[in-house]
Structure formats: C-alpha cells, structure tokens
Amino acid sequence: MSGLITAEHLSVRLEGQAILTDVSLSVQPGEIVTILGPNGSGKSTLLRSLLGIVPAASGRVTRRAGLVIGYVPQRLAIDRTLPMTVRRFLSLPRRVADRDAAAALARVGVPEVAGRQMADLSGGQFQRVLLARALLARPQLLILDEPTQGLDQPGEAAFYRLIEDVRRETGVAVLMVSHDLHVVMAASDRVICLNGHICCEGTPRVVSSAPEYRALFGLGTQGALALYQHVHDHSHDAGEGHAHHHHHDHGHDHDHHPA
C-alpha cells in the first residue's frame, strides 16, 4: 500500500475489551477521508492508534517515513484562569516566528485574534486556532477528531469549506472523525462507517445508501447522510447573488443535497 498512513488488520483491546477488530484502511496523499460512527464505536481509539498513542493488540500501523502529521484534537481544555494569548499558544511547544503565526491565522480566517486570550474565543475561533497550529508544521496529513463538535450548522459548514480550501491549496491529506451524520463534507473522497469494525466504506453517495449504514444510523432524516457541498466558483462578496454560479466538478463525488 502506498498510503501516507496504513492500518492492516488492526485490533485494539483496552482493559480486556475489544474496541477495534480487524480494521484495515489507508489514507493516500491529498485524499479526504471521513470516519463516521456512533458513540463508543472506537473512532477516537482508531485515531489514537494511528497516531501511535494506543498500542495494537494485533495487526499493525505503518506511517510513511518522515510523515508530518498535524493533529486537531476534539477539545482542548484551556485553564481559564491561566492567561494565554493565541500568539503564545501558537508557539507551544516550539517557537514560531511572528510572520508564520500571522500567516497561519490569516489562512484559517481569524487574522485578528493573535492578541486575544484563548479563553475568550468563540467555539469556531478556537477550532480555527487549533487548525492554524496544526498547519504550522506544514503537515502532509491533517488528523481532525470531531473538529466541528459544538458548532452550529453554518459554523460547521464554514469549517468544512476551510478544510476544502486548505486541501486544495496545500495538497494536504485529511483524515477526519465526524460526529455529525447529517452533514459530511461532500469533498470527502471516502466515508468509512465504523462500529468496532468497518461496516461499510465508499463515496458519500454509496455509503448513504448502504444497508449497513442504515442499520447503524437509522432511516429517514435521522440517518440521512446530507452532504455539505460548496461550489467554489462564486464570489463571497456581500450583495452578490449566488443563484447564477456555474458548477465546477473538482473530480469529487459532489451531490446536490441541501446541508
């Protein structure tokens, strides 16, 4: 397998319990892969074993030599009594030049927050700062653990747009765990449904009609995989209508579902 990161027949046991059984997956350069699964399905454990934090009971994880990973954790507890500016946070654990810090914040759409306290940021700003910090390492692979948890749907959609833009500009591969079965980034090249093992995988369209997916997540709108789609060739200027843009297909399986 030529992947950036590959799991082969990975099984993980924690305190005698089988959390993951016989999971095989590989993330290729530039690919966006979304892992979906109910709570307790082993999604975070899978990420931690790919990162080398949790050992495999059997099977193995291989990473391409020299692979640089940018990790965006699910939540980061910041001590609210501890003064910590965004700028200072970006320099943990390695010092970062002002120019690079400013560029990273601008890249993720929050250039104005450098001097703000981490504890004062909104949820969306906080996630963007975590992403900026991950991008400082110039990663070949971004691993995001439920990055939009706690954001409303417009905030979630905006974050997905940002990830799409970053992937397009930098060529970074993305492996994302999503808690939201209703809104999956349409630019996902593959969706993997996990419930202790891989139930089904494929393009978002294929997975949403798979019986295994429906068995896990139910039917109707409760189980519908709505794809958050973003069409790139229009202006974001205020006052411009979005009704008359033309659709460019970037070679991904974009579906026209309302988010």
Side-chain angles (χ1 to χ4, degrees):
M1 282 180 155
S2 62
L4 296 174
I5 197 163
T6 300
E8 295 171 274
H9 304 293
L10 176 69
S11 295
V12 175
R13 299 180 71 81
L14 295 175
E15 296 168 8
Q17 291 285 94
I19 308 293
L20 296 171
T21 306
D22 196 27
V23 170
S24 295
L25 63 91
S26 186
V27 181
Q28 304 301 318
E31 187 177 35
I32 296 180
V33 178
T34 298
I35 297 171
L36 276 181
N39 286 339
S41 59
K43 302 185 302 274
S44 285
T45 300
L46 176 56
L47 289 193
R48 290 204 297 271
S49 55
L50 291 174
L51 289 164
I53 301 166
V54 171
S58 59
R60 63 182 190 152
V61 172
T62 48
R63 290 183 280 280
R64 182 178 282 188
L67 179 67
V68 180
I69 295 175
Y71 178 51
V72 179
Q74 186 176 80
R75 275 190 289 291
L76 195 63
I78 291 277
D79 181 347
R80 293 192 168 272
T81 63
L82 186 76
M84 167 83 67
T85 64
V86 169
R87 175 68 191 86
R88 172 103 181 76
F89 175 74
L90 291 178
S91 273
L92 298 176
R94 281 185 298 277
R95 272 206 59 69
V96 170
D98 285 343
R99 182 184 66 243
D100 294 337
L105 291 174
R107 174 74 227 54
V108 299
V110 287
E112 72 289 350
V113 302
R116 298 264 300 279
Q117 291 293 321
M118 287 293 289
D120 294 340
L121 299 179
S122 72
Q125 289 169 329
F126 196 94
Q127 285 308 113
R128 284 167 187 252
V129 169
L130 291 181
L131 177 60
R133 184 167 169 238
L135 290 173
L136 282 167
R138 297 202 187 331
Q140 297 143 300
L141 172 64
L142 266 180
I143 292 185
L144 303 126
D145 190 0
E146 305 200 19
T148 60
Q149 193 162 38
L151 303 186
D152 60 11
Q153 270 196 330
E156 186 169 17
F159 192 85
Y160 284 168
R161 267 207 297 273
L162 177 59
I163 295 291
E164 266 185 77
D165 291 343
V166 166
R167 192 270 297 258
R168 201 175 64 251
E169 289 168 21
T170 66
V172 70
V174 178
L175 176 64
M176 178 164 51
V177 163
S178 178
H179 68 288
D180 192 336
L181 311 177
H182 308 300
V183 187
V184 165
M185 197 193 307
S188 297
D189 298 297
R190 276 187 301 142
V191 175
I192 295 174
C193 287
L194 191 72
N195 194 19
H197 62 282
I198 292 178
C199 308
C200 53
E201 71 175 288
T203 63
R205 185 184 298 171
V206 166
V207 162
S208 61
S209 58
E212 300 89 340
Y213 170 84
R214 297 189 167 221
L216 256 191
F217 302 125
L219 291 165
T221 54
Q222 290 309 303
L225 187 75
L227 301 172
Y228 179 71
Q229 177 178 349
H230 177 56
V231 178
H232 290 291
D233 51 343
H234 59 75
S235 157
H236 286 283
D237 296 341
E240 294 246 349
H242 293 296
H244 46 256
H245 52 249
H246 302 290
H247 182 64
H248 276 328
D249 196 340
H250 293 294
H252 303 299
D253 189 357
H254 279 305
D255 289 318
H256 294 276
H257 291 235

